[in-house]
Amino acid sequence: MDISFESKDLRKYANDDRLAVRKLGSRRAELFKQRLDDLRAAETLEDVRNLPGHYHEMRENRKGQWACDLDQPYRMIFVPHENPIPANKHAQYIWLEIKGVEIVEIVNYHKEG
């Protein structure tokens, strides 16, 4: 799967293990790298659906975004490259047709709002 990054910082963390550990902490950096490796090895988003990390669609004000677990309570947030996001007639996203993602942020979104 093709992966891009919304920010230069996230791209740097993905490519520099020492920087990632310094900025994210060792456990979060390790899990960030593992989730990226899982996404890179996947052909479609469906391939990671049942892997460790609880990959899931987000709802409400984050609809159109996905998340996966890092260290609690932090999540890695990403969006599909496909625009519009492939969906069926019931407006359910088709994970099998998503072949690239952009990493948006690492956040504890449960603190929001």
Side-chain angles (χ1 to χ4, degrees), residues 85-101:
I85 300 170
N88 65 21
K89 65 181 179 181
H90 304 291
Q92 297 167 316
Y93 294 132
I94 305 171
W95 290 46
L96 196 59
E97 294 183 14
I98 297 170
K99 298 181 179 177
V101 296

Side-chain angles (χ1 to χ4, degrees), residues 23-74:
K23 296 295 186 176
L24 302 174
S26 60
R27 183 66 180 146
R28 192 172 310 144
E30 175 186 341
L31 289 168
F32 177 58
K33 180 145 180 56
Q34 180 61 55
R35 303 300 179 248
L36 292 176
D37 288 346
D38 290 344
L39 286 166
R40 282 189 188 104
E43 288 186 39
T44 71
L45 194 54
E46 183 67 29
D47 295 335
V48 299
R49 188 176 215 153
N50 297 307
L51 291 180
H54 182 65
Y55 291 82
H56 58 282
E57 297 175 26
M58 306 205 38
R59 298 181 300 218
E60 299 172 11
N61 65 328
R62 286 189 173 265
K63 185 161 176 60
Q65 296 182 335
W66 272 253
C68 62
D69 297 346
L70 297 176
D71 57 326
Q72 292 294 339
Y74 286 88

